[in-house]
Amino acid sequence: MSKPRLIPTGNCWCGCGREVGLGKFFAQGHDKTAESALIALKYEGSVPHFLHAHGYGPQHSVTGDAVDNEKTDWMECDECTSKPGYRGARNSVAKHRRIYHRKGTE
């Protein structure tokens, strides 16, 4: 399914009316505000209901799918001893490694 190309308009997409910088969709933090509002409207404010509606939960890992999907920049920390290791966007995993896997601290 092809998705439309979205163009920033100069105004925050959460609907607050704030002007935002060139190339931006949201004022700082307003992406999470919009996400929370949508979950409140469509999924009774429940992240578990949101995940379930999209086929995810304990039986089907959303973070595992994000790691496995080449369209995301998600990865799993290969230095973690627990499996699965920490999962997140590339910069988040890099920060995790700096904090938890510095040489001589394990």
Side-chain angles (χ1 to χ4, degrees), residues 1-7:
M1 181 168 127
S2 179
K3 294 179 186 163
R5 181 172 175 228
L6 302 177
I7 310 284

Side-chain angles (χ1 to χ4, degrees), residues 53-71:
H54 293 276
Y56 294 102
Q59 77 292 350
H60 187 181
S61 173
V62 67
T63 59
D65 276 5
V67 167
D68 293 341
N69 189 316
E70 57 194 45
K71 294 180 182 178

Side-chain angles (χ1 to χ4, degrees), residues 61-68 74-89 92-94 96-97 100-101:
S61 173
V62 67
T63 59
D65 276 5
V67 167
D68 293 341
W74 275 56
M75 59 187 294
E76 184 175 322
C77 177
D78 56 6
E79 296 180 44
C80 286
T81 54
S82 64
K83 297 299 175 202
Y86 177 85
R87 294 171 173 169
S92 181
V93 173
H96 162 84
R97 284 179 175 151
Y100 296 102
H101 299 295

